[in-house]
């Protein structure tokens, strides 16, 4: 009798996997967009099991084509999880995205490499031009409306430079990222040629806070030092303080 139930369970599982694998992906498009705020998918093909969206747009930023592949092993943990990949001329990304039995949408082992001007210029409150490459690595991410919950990771800006409204070489800048749903904070790990330390934070409602100490090294240009003296008070020890807050 136990063998019969075992075969029956296997048969039901196989049936459900076949059913899911042939379920059109565009049927769940609205569901995905409702779970992740400011997300839209276009030109969706394939199935829920394996498919592709010709374009993924998040908060108005075109991240290119998205492909996904179902990961059956995650079912052992009671989750529906997918291996995803982003492809765009200006960015590449991979990772895992899933949904828990309680309906929580999460990401893990997410990696995104992007030309800095695509991201920074898109979100900057002022007109700015930048260069370099951003490497974003997120160990965990809890998708939701507004600021992500349970976010942990880091971002590295390689060969960082601001081209406009002023010319400023920054070197390599690295931030450790933490998000709790109320605040997305970045603590400076590597401060580049400006020797930055401190933190930046984005809060709910579009509010932001910047608290940095700058200790420029000998490679900093005269023009950059003059800019710092105009906008950041210099301390007796030669450090510059940057304290700002506002709303985007």
């Amino acid at each position: 009798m136990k063998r019969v139930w075992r075969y029956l369970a296997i048969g039901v599982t196989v049936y459900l996997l076949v059913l899911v694998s042939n379920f059109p992906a565009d049927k769940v498009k609205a569901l995905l967009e409702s779970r992740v705020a400011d997300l839209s998918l276009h030109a969706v093909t394939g199935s829920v099991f394996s498919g592709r969206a010709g374009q993924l747009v998040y908060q108005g930023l075109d991240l290119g084509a998205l492909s996904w592949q179902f990961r059956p092993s995650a079912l052992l943990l009671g989750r529906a999880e997918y291996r995803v990949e982003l492809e765009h001329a200006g960015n590449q990304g991979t990772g895992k995205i899933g949904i828990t039995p309680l309906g929580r949408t999460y990401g893990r082992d997410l990696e995104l490499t992007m030309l800095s001007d695509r991201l920074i210029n898109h979100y900057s409150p002022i007109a700015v031009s930048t260069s370099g490459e951003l490497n974003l690595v997120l160990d965990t991410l809890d998708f939701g409306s507004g600021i992500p919950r349970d976010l942990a990771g880091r971002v590295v800006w390689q060969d960082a430079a601001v081209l406009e409204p002023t010319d400023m070489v920054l070197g390599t800048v690295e931030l450790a990222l933490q998000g709790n749903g109320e605040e997305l904070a970045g603590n400076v790990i590597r401060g580049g040629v400006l020797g930055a330390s401190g933190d930046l934070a984005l809060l709910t409602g579009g509010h932001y806070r910047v608290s940095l100490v700058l200790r420029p090294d000998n490679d900093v240009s005269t023009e950059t030092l003059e800019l710092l003296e105009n906008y950041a008070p210099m301390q007796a020890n030669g450090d510059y303080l940057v304290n700002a807050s506002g709303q985007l």
Side-chain angles (χ1 to χ4, degrees):
M1 190 67 175
K2 290 183 179 179
R3 181 177 299 178
V4 172
W5 282 110
R6 184 182 302 119
Y7 288 149
L8 180 59
I10 293 174
V12 171
T13 302
V14 171
Y15 172 77
L16 290 175
L17 287 176
V18 172
L19 182 65
V20 169
S21 67
N22 290 284
F23 195 73
D26 59 357
K27 298 297 184 181
V28 295
K29 175 177 178 291
L31 176 62
L32 292 175
E33 292 175 339
S34 67
R35 290 184 179 276
V36 182
D38 301 319
L39 172 73
S40 59
L41 300 171
H42 306 279
V44 176
T45 59
S47 69
V48 175
F49 194 82
S50 176
R52 177 182 175 87
Q55 183 187 46
L56 181 151
V57 179
Y58 181 66
Q59 294 186 349
L61 182 61
D62 178 10
L63 294 174
L66 171 72
S67 58
W68 62 86
Q69 184 73 39
F70 186 65
R71 301 185 69 250
S73 60
L75 292 174
L76 298 175
L77 300 175
R79 303 172 179 173
E81 189 172 274
Y82 294 84
R83 171 76 175 179
V84 297
E85 183 173 353
L86 279 172
E87 299 178 54
H88 188 280
N91 61 256
Q92 299 290 325
T94 60
K96 302 179 183 70
I97 294 178
I99 302 175
T100 68
L102 297 178
R104 179 177 64 87
T105 305
Y106 67 89
R108 63 187 186 90
D109 302 329
L110 300 171
E111 297 186 22
L112 179 65
T113 300
M114 174 182 292
L115 297 176
S116 66
D117 59 347
R118 300 198 68 232
L119 186 67
I120 295 176
N121 300 5
H122 180 76
Y123 288 104
S124 175
I126 62 173
V128 63
S129 177
T130 63
S131 66
E133 185 177 82
L134 288 171
N135 298 304
L136 177 65
V137 179
L138 297 180
D139 301 319
T140 59
L141 171 62
D142 191 335
F143 292 101
S145 59
I147 295 175
R149 304 180 299 274
D150 190 28
L151 182 150
R154 68 185 188 278
V155 59
V156 181
W157 187 1
Q158 300 277 2
D159 300 320
V162 177
L163 307 178
E164 296 290 345
T166 186
D167 190 355
M168 183 184 299
V169 176
L170 302 176
T172 298
V173 179
E174 181 175 358
L175 302 178
L177 302 176
Q178 292 287 337
N180 57 16
E182 299 294 329
E183 176 180 290
L184 175 59
N187 181 260
V188 180
I189 299 175
R190 286 192 284 176
V193 298
L194 292 181
S197 61
D199 57 76
L200 309 88
L202 178 64
L203 298 86
T204 56
H207 297 278
Y208 68 87
R209 182 184 69 247
V210 178
S211 179
L212 297 175
V213 176
L214 307 180
R215 298 184 178 93
D217 61 26
N218 295 329
D219 295 329
V220 174
S221 67
T222 301
E223 292 78 6
T224 298
L225 290 176
E226 291 176 350
L227 180 67
L228 291 178
E229 291 172 358
N230 290 331
Y231 292 97
M234 186 172 70
Q235 307 304 294
N237 62 357
D239 293 348
Y240 295 87
L241 297 183
V242 179
N243 290 297
S245 61
Q247 186 171 17
L248 300 177

